[in-house]
Each structure stands twice: as C-alpha cells, then as structure tokens.
Amino acid sequence: MTDASPAPRTRARVRAPQLTGKGGWLNTGEKQYTLADLRGRIVILDFWTFCCINCLHVLDELRELEEKHRDTVVIIGVHSPKFVHEAEHQAVVDAVERYGVEHPVLDDPELATWKQYAVRAWPTLVVIDPEGYVVAQHAGEGHAHAIERLVTELEAEHAAKGTLRRGDGPYVPPEPEPTVLRFPGKAIALPGGTFLVSDTTRHQLVELAGDGESVVRRIGSGARGLGDGTADSAAFNEPQGLTLAEDGSVLVADTVNHVLRRLDLATGAVTTLAGTGRQWMQGEATSGPAREVSLSSPWDVAQWQGKVWIAMAGVHQLWVYDPADDTVSVTAGTTNEGLVDGPGPEAWFAQPSGLAATADRLWLADSETSALRWVDLDGGVHTAVGTGLFDFGHRDGAAEQALLQHPLGVTALPDGSVAVSDTYNHALRRYDPSTGQVTTLATDLREPSDAVLVGDEIVVVESARHRLTRLRLPEEAVRVESVAHRTQRAATEVAPGELRLEVVFQAPAGQKLDARYGPSTRLLVSATPPELLVAGEGAGTDLNRTLALNPAVAEGVLHVSAMAASCDADPANEYPACHVHQQDWGVPVRLTEGGADRLPLVLAGMDDQDA
C-alpha cells in the first residue's frame, strides 16, 4: 500500500446480458424494456428482494444519486425473491409502492436475470455504461459514493465520445390509492380506547377510533424527512414500531431515519430521543449518550424490565434505551446474520422485527430466519420455532419441526402463549410454551405485520390490505395443509477439500484502503452445519482465505462477512472522507467431485478472472 493515489484502472469490458423477468416491468406505464432501449444512458441494476433490510438501505442510499443524475442515469430494480411469497407479482407491486421505489422494476420471480449476472447476494449493484458494457459490481451497502464518482467519470467519458444520451427516463409513477392507511406497520391500543398506527408509507402516525377505521388525528406532515415539532410539522421516514412509555408518551421506531422518537399524546409534539439520524456502521460506538450514538433501522420497540428494548433490524441486534440515564447500548447480537442461541453477546439474529414483553420473557419475531425467539431474564437467547436462513413454510405441530415464513410481529396472549404475525404466510399463528405446539389461528390475512389484544379479540394490522382487521380469538386452531420450502437460490457446486475464498474489493477511484486506525479490511467465515468447515472459520484481516471443506458433509451454507474501509487518497487533504463497504453472504454450497475450487465474492469492483 502506498500513500499516493492509485493509477487509474482500465475498466474491463463485459457485455451486459439482457434483462428478462417473467413478472414483467413495473413503474413504466406497462411498457416493456430491453437494454437496447436504454443505450446511451448509464444503467444501474439494483438486485434486491423486499424482505432484505440491506436492500432497503440501498434503496435509500440511491435516492440522492437518482435525483442528481436523473437525465443520464436509469436505475432499474431487478426483484429477485428469496421467499415464496416474494415471487408473487402482486407482492412485488405492493413492495414497490410500500418502499417508495421511484424507478423501473423488473419482476424476476424465477431469478433468470440474477443467474445471467452471476449474482450471489442481496443487494448487488451492477453498473452498465452507455454502450452496454458492465463496468462495475458492488455487493452490500455503502457504495453510493463510489458509484457517484464512477457515474461522473462515465458522463464525461461518453459525452466526449458522443455516446451519452440525456433526457427523461422510463419511470412512470403509479396512481395513488385513496385509502385511510397505506401499508401500516405496527399498532398499539391507547388508554382511551383508540388505536395508534404507524402509517408507514405515508410517513405518519394515525390515531383511529375504537372501531379501527375512523381517523381521530394524524401526526406528522406526511413528507419523508426527519424533523421534530408539532403534530402538523414533525416529519417521519417510514416509521414502524410503537410502545407506550411509563410516562404515558409513545415511543416510535422511526426506521429509515435510524432514530427513536417520542410522541406526547396530549400535545402531539414529536421529539427525538435516540440516534443521530445517520445509519450505524461497523466500528462506530455501540453505547453512550442516546443522541450521540447512531442506530440502524430500528423496527420495533417494547418496554421490558424498566428499559426500552429496540429490535435493531439493520444490524441484527437488540439494543436498549435506558430512560434513567438517557443512554443506548447493545444487549444482544454480534451483527452477524443467522440463528445462534446463547448468551446475548454471542447470539446471532436476522432482522429482528417484532417484540412483545411478558413478565419473564421478551419475545421476538426474527424475520429472516422465519423464527420465533425469546430473551430470558439473564439475557440468554433461545429459539422456540425456526431453524435458519433458508428453511421456511407453513407447518403446524411440534415447535421443533413447525415452520413460519418471514414473521414481522409477535403479541403476548393472556394464557402465556403468543400470537405470531406470520407475514408471508398471510396468517396469524400461535405458539404455546406449555405444550411446545404451533397452531394456526387465522388465514386469508394479507401480510399481517402486527396484532393488538383487545379483550377477547385481536386486532390485526393487515399491512397489504391497508387496514386493521378485528378477529375473535378462536377456541380451536384452523387446520391448514403443511407446506415446507427452501430458498430458490441454486447451490454453488464446490469441490470437497480446499476451497479458495476470494472477496474482491477494489477501492473507488481516488481512494485507498485506510489503515490509520487498525486493519482496513475484515473477513469472518462460519458454516451451517459447523462441521462443513474443517479449517478456515473465524475472523481475520485478509480478504482471501483457503477453506477446507469436509467431504463427509454433502451440502450446507457458508456464511461470509466482509468489510473494507477506504479514504480519499490525496495526501494534501488533512481530513479525508472515509467510507465503509460491507456485506454478509450466505452461500448455499453442494460438495461435488469436479466442483469449483475457487469462490469469488465481489464486494466492489470486477472479478478479473470473469472479465
């Protein structure tokens, strides 16, 4: 490594494969597009799936670039599903509106384009130049600055060559729907008999009368933003979780703003309790004064044991806000994504998205592992239902073999059992700790994301039907046909024995790896099942590593987490801008004689061996 700026790299020229998707195009006024139609424009493909919190982070990272370069850049979301529900066309239509996607989206339920571009992770960004060549690939988060710089270079290069075409893009916004709520997220019952609902897509909180339909008042301007103030002037950004605080106020997980807010129910005033408004990144503080520590996509909140627990979906952890000393801190989770029980600091989660407190347990819906889990009074983490990232379905019976599909909510019931908002199964499920049994309470809901107990009834947030639905708790469970699924991603065939893992990272132009405060790169490798790896697991600072795979294990998943920090390379700049690039991969592998002995994972740049 040198202190000088790296010499400009000659970009590899790889012809971009065509875009194909059985579900067709969204946000184009029903027009179908090919890459040839977009020749002359800089095209950024965003391979995403709507369950993935990292994909939602990237949607937000791209908004500024999308606006700034609207006449030269076309961003195309390629929706590539993980869960069976995400392959449903209407679910993709809903997600595009729910998350405010303002560019064309290709619905690719069979992963055809994903395979053509050899994508291995959600999210992945691919940059295509105006002549139709792939010039860069980035996996994970934190790449917007690098893509911005590349776009600026491509604009200049192709303007000089006469191959840049400016003008309006293909995006056509859908017609807004006049519903009272729009993709509501969470709800709570207020002391006066009304409900407070996070109206997520409209960036507001809505108080509804006891009938669950009539609007009492709206909190928030309705414009996406971060601003404290009155009920009319305050701004939220896709708020989700709500909980009644001990002082009678309501605490709000303001998800895309990465902050915890407080709503004074009497006055309607909104203030910020915790978070800086910036997304937490690896290496930053994990405890301290609440307004000085960054958070990452808080999705739900709950009062438990005198503190406010936060489901920090963005980094796969549980945090707490302590109102006594106005601090926040991590209580459980390593930031690695997966399902590992044990003491809080050693546990792994995967987008915890729903919380419910009882006297002796904090229940949580761990969405990406399709799991129901709980924390005991000593801080230990346990799993009631769920096996990992790639198994899901709708199966009742004994908890150890029962299946959920991306649940987002959990509700404590009076008999000690819990109701689970089993979001992608469109169902309300029940787990009874006393019997260890899972049953189905209701079906034919549409993406239920939360539920509130009111007497002997339960009020369900039907997010994709934009309403609250009141159900009487049944005495007997609903019978459903058992279904089990595994992710549609094809396993990578690798040879048993030595496997060379190479994480490809090329610092953006004008930047270099930065080691002033320690190693600039980090690599963490593990496997499910653990015995898949004979050697090579654990943490290190080299992005390349030789793994030894156990020939006695036919298949499994390699979990790879990589981070690289780069800073401006100009030695004259005393305070260079620095950026963290990070991604977690879960790579299903099948051990096959004659399989690959090299596994390249592109964090940023191009894999030269594929060029």
Side-chain angles (χ1 to χ4, degrees):
M1 192 186 308
T2 67
D3 290 333
S5 297
R9 290 187 300 270
T10 301
R11 283 194 290 269
R13 288 174 66 81
V14 178
R15 177 63 71 179
Q18 272 305 328
L19 305 178
T20 57
K22 189 174 181 180
W25 290 81
L26 306 176
N27 280 357
T28 62
E30 300 187 356
K31 183 174 178 180
Q32 307 298 298
Y33 280 89
T34 66
L35 276 178
D37 298 326
L38 304 172
R39 194 64 50 80
R41 310 299 288 273
I42 300 163
V43 177
I44 300 172
L45 303 182
D46 175 15
F47 289 87
W48 71 300
T49 188
F50 62 78
C51 70
C52 161
I53 192 67
N54 311 91
C55 299
L56 304 186
H57 290 167
V58 168
L59 284 176
D60 292 306
E61 288 178 4
L62 292 175
R63 291 186 198 279
E64 184 177 347
L65 182 147
E66 191 169 23
E67 183 58 36
K68 184 176 178 181
H69 298 272
R70 194 170 287 279
D71 67 333
T72 59
V73 171
V74 175
I75 296 176
I76 294 174
V78 182
H79 189 268
S80 313
K82 170 186 173 181
F83 290 100
V84 169
H85 170 59
E86 292 175 306
E88 297 175 15
H89 182 69
Q90 185 57 48
V92 181
V93 173
D94 288 345
V96 167
E97 181 188 352
R98 180 194 300 269
Y99 297 116
V101 179
E102 295 185 354
H103 51 249
V105 172
L106 176 64
D107 181 12
D108 182 19
E110 296 176 346
L111 302 180
T113 298
W114 165 287
K115 294 170 187 173
Q116 284 292 310
Y117 280 81
V119 175
R120 294 185 184 275
W122 297 278
T124 290
L125 297 168
V126 175
V127 182
I128 302 171
D129 74 11
E131 295 179 289
Y133 291 93
V134 174
V135 293
Q137 182 171 328
H138 303 264
E141 304 177 45
H143 302 295
H145 70 286
I147 293 175
E148 161 79 26
R149 175 164 265 169
L150 176 57
V151 163
T152 302
E153 291 178 3
L154 290 171
E155 286 175 340
E157 175 186 336
H158 288 274
K161 290 174 65 175
T163 50
L164 183 69
R165 177 166 59 89
R166 295 180 181 270
D168 292 335
Y171 170 65
V172 177
E175 288 293 323
E177 296 286 343
T179 52
V180 172
L181 302 172
R182 204 69 193 161
F183 298 105
K186 305 288 185 182
I188 56 171
L190 297 179
T194 59
F195 296 97
L196 188 68
V197 184
S198 54
D199 197 12
T200 304
T201 298
R202 293 210 178 111
H203 315 295
Q204 291 180 319
L205 309 180
V206 180
E207 185 177 356
L208 298 177
D211 61 7
E213 300 177 6
S214 307
V215 176
V216 176
R217 60 173 169 168
R218 292 182 178 272
I219 309 293
S221 66
R224 184 190 295 270
L226 173 55
D228 292 342
T230 65
D232 293 331
S233 66
F236 297 95
N237 197 343
E238 297 182 24
Q240 287 282 349
L242 309 166
T243 191
L244 271 172
E246 293 177 350
D247 65 0
S249 65
V250 173
L251 304 187
V252 184
D254 194 2
T255 304
V256 178
N257 277 328
H258 310 294
V259 293
L260 183 66
R261 314 292 289 280
R262 178 184 184 274
L263 167 65
D264 186 314
L265 285 172
T267 66
V270 176
T271 53
T272 300
L273 281 185
T276 63
R278 299 185 309 276
Q279 182 186 338
W280 184 92
M281 301 297 283
Q282 289 287 351
E284 295 187 17
T286 55
S287 64
R291 292 294 303 272
E292 298 176 16
V293 177
S294 294
L295 311 180
S296 181
S297 297
W299 206 275
D300 203 6
V301 283
Q303 291 276 161
W304 192 54
Q305 299 296 308
K307 297 180 180 179
V308 179
W309 288 67
I310 306 169
M312 205 70 76
V315 283
H316 319 299
Q317 291 180 314
L318 299 180
W319 289 44
V320 295
Y321 167 71
D322 190 340
D325 57 12
D326 197 30
T327 60
V328 291
S329 59
V330 176
T331 58
T334 64
T335 76
N336 295 310
E337 185 178 16
L339 193 153
V340 176
D341 289 341
E346 300 172 14
W348 290 25
F349 300 99
Q351 290 178 216
S353 301
L355 299 174
T358 62
D360 60 350
R361 293 185 181 186
L362 180 72
W363 293 95
L364 66 111
D366 204 26
S367 61
E368 277 294 285
T369 52
S370 298
L372 172 67
R373 306 177 72 185
W374 53 281
V375 181
D376 63 31
L377 293 173
D378 295 324
V381 177
H382 311 263
T383 297
V385 181
T387 59
L389 286 165
F390 299 105
D391 294 292
F392 51 90
H394 192 150
R395 181 194 286 156
D396 287 337
E400 57 267 20
Q401 58 87 52
L403 294 172
L404 309 170
Q405 188 180 177
H406 197 81
L408 291 178
V410 58
T411 307
L413 300 179
D415 63 356
S417 67
V418 290
V420 179
S421 295
D422 194 5
T423 309
Y424 288 2
N425 279 329
H426 310 300
L428 192 67
R429 312 286 292 283
R430 176 177 178 264
Y431 168 69
D432 186 346
S434 67
T435 63
Q437 294 290 305
V438 175
T439 52
T440 298
L441 296 176
T443 58
D444 194 30
L445 302 168
R446 186 69 186 171
E447 292 193 19
S449 54
D450 198 17
V452 182
L453 191 67
V454 182
D456 59 355
E457 296 180 324
I458 194 163
V459 176
V460 179
V461 179
E462 272 199 279
S463 189
R465 283 199 178 113
H466 319 292
R467 70 188 188 192
L468 303 188
T469 298
R470 190 180 297 265
L471 304 172
R472 182 168 294 278
L473 282 172
E475 294 181 8
E476 294 185 4
V478 176
R479 290 187 176 274
V480 296
E481 183 179 349
S482 294
V483 179
H485 298 290
R486 281 184 64 82
T487 177
Q488 293 186 53
R489 289 178 60 189
T492 298
E493 293 193 349
V494 296
E498 286 196 353
L499 176 68
R500 182 67 176 166
L501 172 65
E502 298 181 6
V503 175
V504 177
F505 178 76
Q506 296 162 357
Q511 295 199 339
K512 64 177 183 177
L513 289 172
D514 180 64
R516 287 172 300 166
Y517 305 109
S520 58
T521 56
R522 183 191 66 143
L523 181 66
L524 179 67
V525 180
S526 63
T528 302
E531 52 268 24
L532 172 64
L533 274 179
V534 176
E537 67 176 344
T541 57
D542 191 341
L543 292 181
N544 297 332
R545 187 180 301 180
T546 298
L547 311 179
L549 303 183
N550 186 350
V553 178
E555 61 181 12
V557 178
L558 290 174
H559 303 282
V560 181
S561 177
M563 183 275 289
S566 64
C567 295
D568 290 343
D570 184 357
N573 186 351
E574 186 178 357
Y575 302 104
C578 297
H579 304 275
V580 174
H581 315 254
Q582 61 188 46
Q583 171 64 5
D584 294 333
W585 291 269
V587 184
V589 294
R590 182 179 299 112
L591 274 59
T592 308
E593 291 296 338
D597 61 3
R598 174 178 178 264
L599 178 61
L601 300 175
V602 177
L603 179 60
M606 296 283 287
D607 179 17
D608 293 337
Q609 294 194 28
D610 285 344

